Amino acid sequence: QKEVEQDPGPLSVPEGAIVSLNCTYSNSAFQYFMWYRQYSRKGPELLMYTYSSGNKEDGRFTAQVDKSSKYISLFIRDSQPSDSATYLCAMLRGYSSASKIIFGSGTRLSIRP
Amino acid sequence: GAGVSQSPRYKVAKRGQDVALRCDPISGHVSLFWYQQALGQGPEFLTYFQNEAQLDKSGLPSDRFFAERPEGSVSTLKIQRTQQEDSAVYLCASSSGQNGYTFGSGTRLTVV
């Protein structure tokens, strides 16, 4: 069993819809939770990162962490075609420059105009 | 430079050939990571450097994989006697520990 599980999709929604992306994890040692966006033929870029359970909002994006259930989510409001990409959840055991990131397998998202 | 630069962007190798992939991290970044991303999968950790010291190589899949960072800046990932299962995108990331990790665009390796 992988430490981080993510539904690979693909997920296709119409423009303007609310998108919900989710991951579960098994290792309670994870403390930092991130969402990366990866466009085709590009490297992952950090969208959001959270430390504690609860919600964190940044513009149209909301990250949610439930440590008791080992479940994290990313919500995208008013989705745009430019949001079409692969979204990777990612986790760290501790936040230092030496910490290696553990990624989910990614969910491919397509926003239809 | 402004970002992490990787070269070449694409590499086609015949099975059994040796390849070398280069990573130029952001200037001043102490930490450097290599990840392997197979098609349709998330990146998987290969190895980590702090300056010139390779502190973690637990993710290297076999002794055909070798990485170095001799002067604590540019890093090279070398794969000897490439095999088809080595086909993947190889990502490099650097970090200063304060602003998170910055990934390069990767090198797409195809072994034929």
Side-chain angles (χ1 to χ4, degrees), chain B residues 34-77:
Chain B
W34 283 98
Y35 282 80
Q36 180 190 58
Q37 187 173 23
L39 188 64
Q41 298 296 314
E44 298 214 353
F45 171 80
L46 292 176
T47 187
Y48 160 67
F49 289 87
Q50 187 175 82
N51 296 307
E52 68 279 3
Q54 189 175 20
L55 299 186
D56 187 345
K57 52 182 181 180
S58 61
L60 295 176
S62 78
D63 59 8
R64 297 186 295 104
F65 286 70
F66 171 76
E68 60 183 5
R69 194 185 184 197
E71 297 177 359
S73 56
V74 171
S75 177
T76 304
L77 176 67

Side-chain angles (χ1 to χ4, degrees), chain B residues 2-15:
Chain B
V4 177
S5 179
Q6 292 190 247
S7 61
R9 285 298 314 275
Y10 303 93
K11 176 71 179 176
V12 178
K14 290 185 178 179
R15 193 168 51 185

Side-chain angles (χ1 to χ4, degrees), chain B residues 19-47:
Chain B
V19 297
L21 313 179
R22 178 187 168 104
C23 173
D24 272 280
I26 292 173
S27 178
H29 277 194
V30 167
S31 297
L32 185 145
F33 299 82
W34 283 98
Y35 282 80
Q36 180 190 58
Q37 187 173 23
L39 188 64
Q41 298 296 314
E44 298 214 353
F45 171 80
L46 292 176
T47 187

